[in-house]
Amino acid sequence: MKNTIKHMFATFTAIVCFAVSAAEYPTKPIRVVLGMSAASTFPIITRTITSNVPNKNFHFFNDHKTGQGNLLAYQFAAGSKPDGYTVVFTSTSVVINPLLHKDAGYDATKSFEPLLFIGTVDNGLIAHPSVPFNTTKQLIAYAKRNPNKIMYGHNGFATQSYLAMELLSLTANVKFTSVPYSSRGTDQAFIDVAGGQIDLSLIVIGRVGGYVSTGKVKLIATTGSSRNKLFPDVPTMSEHVKGTESSIWYILQVPAGVPPDIKQRLTEQLAGGLKSTAAQSILENVGVEPVTIEQAAMIKFIALEAAKWKKITTTKQLKIE
C-alpha cells in the first residue's frame, strides 16, 4: 500500500512539474542548429523567421555545426535533450546521409519530429545549346540511342544533384556519364556546361535565369512536382518521366520526445514567424516555394523521401566509409 501511494505521489509530482515547465516555457534562448555556414543563405532565413515570431518572449540563436553535408548538425541535434530548446534546420540531406554513411548517428524517420515545413526549391536541368534535345523526352530518346555519351556534372556522390540524375537514369532505364565537381563546386559545372565541356547539370533554379537569358545554356526541365513559377513554360522532368520529382526541401524539426504542449507552442511561434512579410519576402528572393502541410503529412513525406532515395543508393551501391 505504501509503495502504491509513493508511486502515485511520484507520478503526480512529475505531472505537476511538467505542467509548470510547459507553462513557463521558454525560460532561456532556443538553439537553432544548422549545418550551413553563417555566410550562406539559410541562416538568414532562420533568423528572419525566429525574429518575427508573435511572442517576443521566445528568443532564438543560430548554432552552426558545419561539415560532412550537414551530418554533424544532424548528429548534434539528434543527441540533444528533447526539451524544446533545440530546433534543427533540416533539408533533403537529412534522409540521404543515413543511406550513405555506415553509422550516421541518427535515424531520419525516428530521431526527429517535424514542426514546420518551410518550403522547397526546384533544380533546373541545364544543357549546352548545341545538344540535340530540348525536352526530357528527347533527352531520354537520345540517351537510349547513345548510352553513356551524355555527360552531366554534379557536386559529389552524396549530393542531390547526383542522386536526382541517377533517379532519372534508373527510372527511364538510360545510362549517363557522371562528372563529379566535388572540389570545384557548382559554379564550375555551370561554367563547363556553358562552355560545352559537359552536356548537362542540375542547378538551383534561382541561378539559372541569367545564363538562360543570354543563351549560354538552355533549360531542359525543372525538378518539382509542378511547373516552376519562374519558368512556367518549361515542363517538369516528371511530365515526361513519372516518379522523377526531386525538389530540395527544408523543414524545421526537433529531437524526438519533446513534450506535446511545448512542441505545439514552439510550432505556433515558428509558424507565425514564417507567415511574416519579412520571412515571405526572403523566401521569394531566394526562390523557396512555401509549403503548408500538417505534422502528420510531414512525417509521411519524410518517410516517402527516405524510401525514394534508398532505392537509388541501394541500386548504385553507394556508401561513404
Side-chain angles (χ1 to χ4, degrees):
M1 184 65 174
K2 288 182 179 180
N3 289 338
T4 301
I5 293 173
K6 286 181 179 180
H7 177 73
M8 291 174 64
F9 180 75
T11 302
F12 175 76
T13 302
I15 292 171
V16 170
C17 289
F18 166 70
V20 171
S21 175
E24 294 178 348
Y25 173 82
T27 59
K28 62 181 180 179
I30 299 163
R31 180 194 310 267
V32 181
V33 181
L34 301 101
M36 304 85 169
S37 72
S40 65
T41 301
F42 300 104
I44 300 173
I45 293 175
T46 59
R47 279 198 301 270
T48 305
I49 292 172
T50 57
S51 63
N52 284 279
V53 298
N55 187 337
K56 299 308 177 184
N57 289 324
F58 280 72
H59 301 284
F60 300 83
F61 67 96
N62 283 350
D63 187 7
H64 300 275
K65 307 291 183 184
T66 59
Q68 299 184 46
N70 299 327
L71 180 62
L72 298 183
Y74 300 148
Q75 289 175 338
F76 178 86
S80 298
K81 188 177 179 180
D83 55 5
Y85 290 98
T86 298
V87 175
V88 58
F89 181 89
T90 66
S91 68
T92 316
S93 61
V94 77
V95 299
I96 292 175
N97 274 323
L99 302 175
L100 298 175
H101 294 269
K102 186 177 181 180
D103 183 15
Y106 71 91
D107 185 313
T109 60
K110 296 178 181 178
S111 298
F112 307 109
E113 295 173 355
L115 297 179
L116 186 68
F117 204 129
I118 295 175
T120 62
V121 174
D122 293 344
N123 280 317
L125 182 60
I126 59 168
H128 188 266
S130 67
V131 299
F133 43 81
N134 296 305
T135 66
T136 304
K137 185 176 181 179
Q138 293 172 356
L139 162 63
I140 296 305
Y142 182 82
K144 285 183 180 292
R145 296 193 303 269
N146 301 275
N148 294 314
K149 184 174 181 179
I150 297 172
M151 295 189 295
Y152 74 89
H154 60 87
N155 294 350
F157 296 106
T159 64
Q160 193 172 3
S161 60
Y162 170 76
L163 294 173
M165 285 302 294
E166 291 304 311
L167 175 63
L168 176 62
S169 170
L170 182 65
T171 306
N173 193 28
V174 294
K175 293 182 179 180
F176 304 125
T177 295
S178 74
V179 182
Y181 283 77
S182 304
S183 60
R184 292 173 285 171
T186 304
D187 287 343
Q188 189 59 49
F190 213 144
I191 291 168
D192 284 359
V193 171
Q197 282 81 20
I198 58 176
D199 302 302
L200 301 169
S201 188
L202 280 173
I203 305 292
V204 172
I205 198 68
R207 304 189 61 198
V208 170
Y211 276 78
V212 172
S213 63
T214 59
K216 292 182 178 180
V217 300
K218 57 184 178 181
L219 183 58
I220 300 297
T222 56
T223 61
S225 57
S226 59
R227 294 195 180 193
N228 191 277
K229 64 182 181 181
L230 297 177
F231 299 95
D233 296 329
V234 178
T236 64
M237 218 181 259
S238 61
E239 285 182 48
H240 294 135
V241 184
K242 299 294 183 183
T244 53
E245 301 89 349
S246 60
S247 293
I248 307 166
W249 46 265
Y250 306 105
I251 298 176
L252 290 175
Q253 303 198 65
V254 289
V258 172
D261 185 44
I262 289 178
K263 190 165 63 174
Q264 181 180 349
R265 295 183 66 189
L266 183 55
T267 300
E268 289 171 353
Q269 293 305 311
L270 292 171
L274 180 61
K275 291 176 183 175
S276 69
T277 301
Q280 291 300 307
S281 178
I282 287 287
L283 295 183
E284 183 176 0
N285 289 341
V286 298
V288 176
E289 188 68 28
V291 174
T292 304
I293 59 175
E294 298 299 321
Q295 185 186 40
M298 280 190 278
I299 293 171
K300 183 177 180 180
F301 172 83
I302 291 169
L304 288 172
E305 283 285 289
K308 176 174 72 178
W309 296 120
K310 183 177 182 179
K311 180 179 179 182
I312 303 302
T313 56
T314 301
T315 301
K316 300 294 295 185
Q317 296 183 326
L318 298 175
K319 281 291 178 184
I320 298 174
E321 298 298 333

